[in-house]
Amino acid sequence: MEIKKLGNNGFFWNVLGGGLNAGQASFLLILISRKYDLSTAGLVTIAYAFAVFFQGIGKYGIRNFQVTDMREEYGFGDYLKSRKISVGCALIGAGFFLFWKYIDGSYGLEKAILIFEVVVLKMIDAYEDVYLGRLQQLDQFCRGARIMAVRLLATTCTLAATAYMGIKIHLVFLTGIIVSGFFDLEAFRFTKGWARSACKGNTVGIMLSCIPLCIGTTLMVYVGNIPKYMIDACLSEEIQAIFGYLMLPVFAVTLLNQFIYQPFVKTLGMKWDSGNRKKFYGTIAGQCAAVLMIAIAALIGGVGVGLPVLSGLYAVNLSEYWKEFMVLLAGGSLYAIGYYLNIPLTIMRKQKQIAVGYGMAAVICFIIGKDFVLVRGMMGAAILYVTVNGSLVILYAFLILNSWRKEKVL
């Protein structure tokens, strides 16, 4: 079992860190829904949606590329410089976007500032990710998972405590930024010599090689949050909050799947690099089967258990939204599968196909998304979500199966 190679500590820290990373917004919404009004909950929901989009730009899709760089074609110093550039560009891009939305009257000043605060918070995650990638590349995944988990635990507890106090929402996130940044600086003091000793002057090479991955992963986030963006453009903050509540189990499905495969990205890359195609494709099939099992369990328990629990957590009656909830769970399962299929495609260095797939999905969403939401409201957003993610799964599965067929012939 590959899980034994990770070790109990590594698995625990990965589960804790991954859970906090994916569930921070949803957990925070539980407190906000009780201490603030529904409109504020909607603002926080869309703020996180935009923040993870710009975080995708900040990460630049490099993590899996870095971890599977078996022969260390690029040094850590190159990866670090690349990350500084991408994070800087993401922050500037977010600033210009929000300034434009404020100037044209789409956003008020308070909303624009809140979104930028959450963007900064998620950029700390994006910057830390390059160090975590290096530790995983050095077979120190457990150490990286522990660093991430401790920082996220401190940050989430800070956000929760300040939100529970009911202070001004901006101060909640400013405090979270300070705590998160402090823990990041302390955690990576031991890496000071890495950049100087492992820089090969190939920063441009990394940036060029990973452009398709950046486009693909950023558009993947866009597609994953497309219903929220459409609701932001067409409906109210209150509807946004309700949608955010319903999305909690959807994110849980994606989170559980990341627990299954993220620790073994390097192992999968080694199988491909060594030419062990049988085990490579077998592992993909096994992990996809695990994703489907989790998805089926989530669908079965969704309405019977999920909605009553969510209604209790958020102190809002969500029973009338059971149809939308089921559609969202199906869409979340498809999103999780598509998210996973990005990993083997990256290992196979099919970055361009990933970018093309998400690019097509984003264009389709941009063209028809508003009509879906304007005509059918929240259900339209849910249908759009499941349709787009289903199309991506079909495309990426076809690419992998076609490669397997060719390998089998050869």
Side-chain angles (χ1 to χ4, degrees):
M1 291 286 291
E2 290 185 21
I3 190 70
K4 292 181 181 179
K5 297 179 182 179
L6 179 61
N8 292 330
N9 287 334
F11 183 75
F12 168 78
W13 290 115
N14 182 51
V15 169
L16 179 60
L20 290 167
N21 186 43
Q24 185 184 87
S26 297
F27 175 68
L28 193 59
L29 275 177
I30 295 173
L31 293 172
I32 289 174
S33 66
R34 296 172 181 274
K35 293 292 182 176
Y36 301 81
D37 56 24
L38 200 60
S39 178
T40 300
L43 282 174
V44 172
T45 298
I46 191 60
Y48 267 94
F50 277 116
V52 295
F53 173 80
F54 286 105
Q55 182 190 45
I57 297 174
K59 288 186 174 182
Y60 208 75
I62 292 176
R63 172 69 178 268
N64 292 329
F65 186 92
Q66 178 185 7
V67 172
T68 56
D69 184 5
M70 302 300 170
R71 298 166 190 175
E72 298 204 32
E73 180 181 356
Y74 302 103
F76 174 72
D78 303 315
Y79 285 111
L80 182 60
K81 286 184 179 179
S82 300
R83 188 58 55 92
K84 288 178 179 178
I85 293 170
S86 61
V87 167
C89 289
L91 283 171
I92 293 171
F96 274 113
F97 168 76
L98 293 170
F99 180 72
W100 171 68
K101 296 290 278 186
Y102 171 70
I103 291 297
D104 76 359
S106 299
Y107 289 174
L109 182 61
E110 183 176 356
K111 182 174 182 178
I113 292 174
L114 179 63
I115 293 175
F116 190 75
E117 287 171 346
V118 182
V119 168
V120 173
L121 183 67
K122 299 304 287 184
M123 281 303 147
I124 296 173
D125 294 357
Y127 188 74
E128 176 191 67
D129 185 67
V130 70
Y131 291 96
L132 301 180
R134 179 56 178 167
L135 287 171
Q136 188 173 4
Q137 192 181 20
L138 295 173
D139 292 320
Q140 297 183 42
F141 180 84
C142 178
R143 187 178 191 180
R146 183 170 63 249
I147 289 172
M148 177 183 70
V150 170
R151 181 185 61 81
L152 285 172
L153 181 61
T155 305
T156 304
C157 287
T158 300
L159 292 170
T162 49
Y164 184 77
M165 292 166 59
I167 65 175
K168 192 173 179 61
I169 195 67
H170 296 292
L171 294 178
V172 171
F173 287 102
L174 284 174
T175 306
I177 290 169
I178 293 170
V179 171
S180 187
F182 172 78
F183 271 82
D184 232 13
L185 288 173
E186 288 298 310
F188 293 107
R189 288 185 182 277
F190 71 92
T191 67
K192 281 186 175 180
W194 282 8
R196 292 191 298 272
S197 62
C199 184
K200 300 179 180 179
N202 291 330
T203 303
V204 175
I206 293 175
M207 301 298 286
L208 292 176
S209 297
C210 292
I211 285 176
L213 284 174
C214 177
I215 295 172
T217 54
T218 303
L219 291 178
M220 176 181 65
V221 173
Y222 174 79
V223 170
N225 283 300
I226 189 66
K228 294 179 182 178
Y229 302 139
M230 295 299 104
I231 290 172
D232 182 57
C234 305
L235 303 176
S236 67
E237 306 291 356
E238 288 75 13
I239 294 295
Q240 186 74 263
I242 297 294
F243 193 87
Y245 300 158
L246 295 175
M247 286 292 283
L248 173 58
V250 176
F251 285 124
V253 171
T254 304
L255 174 63
L256 287 171
N257 290 311
Q258 288 180 357
F259 292 160
I260 293 172
Y261 58 74
Q262 186 61 50
F264 311 117
V265 171
K266 183 176 179 179
T267 303
L268 191 63
M270 290 171 66
K271 290 175 182 177
W272 174 265
D273 196 56
S274 66
N276 195 338
R277 299 297 190 258
K278 184 177 181 180
K279 286 189 176 181
F280 177 79
Y281 290 111
T283 300
I284 294 172
Q287 290 179 331
C288 284
V291 173
L292 286 173
M293 289 175 62
I294 293 173
I296 292 170
L299 287 168
I300 292 174
V303 174
V305 179
L307 279 181
V309 170
L310 289 175
S311 296
L313 284 174
Y314 293 110
V316 177
N317 184 11
L318 301 173
S319 58
E320 64 180 287
Y321 300 104
W322 71 270
K323 292 181 181 178
E324 291 89 341
F325 182 59
M326 293 303 289
V327 175
L328 285 172
L329 277 176
S333 302
L334 292 169
Y335 178 79
I337 296 173
Y339 191 98
Y340 167 69
L341 292 179
N342 275 270
I343 293 175
L345 286 171
T346 300
I347 292 170
M348 297 158 70
R349 296 305 186 240
K350 293 184 180 293
Q351 301 98 307
K352 292 181 180 179
Q353 288 87 335
I354 295 174
V356 169
Y358 279 113
M360 292 172 59
V363 170
I364 293 171
C365 289
F366 185 78
I367 294 173
I368 67 174
K370 287 187 178 180
D371 291 334
F372 265 67
V373 174
L374 286 172
V375 173
R376 303 200 62 179
M378 192 183 296
M379 177 56 84
I383 292 173
L384 180 67
Y385 186 65
V386 74
T387 301
V388 171
N389 285 307
S391 301
L392 286 170
V393 168
I394 292 172
L395 172 61
Y396 293 151
F398 170 78
L399 291 172
I400 292 174
L401 287 171
N402 188 53
S403 178
W404 170 77
R405 182 185 60 81
K406 290 180 179 178
E407 293 281 351
K408 193 176 182 181
V409 171
L410 294 172

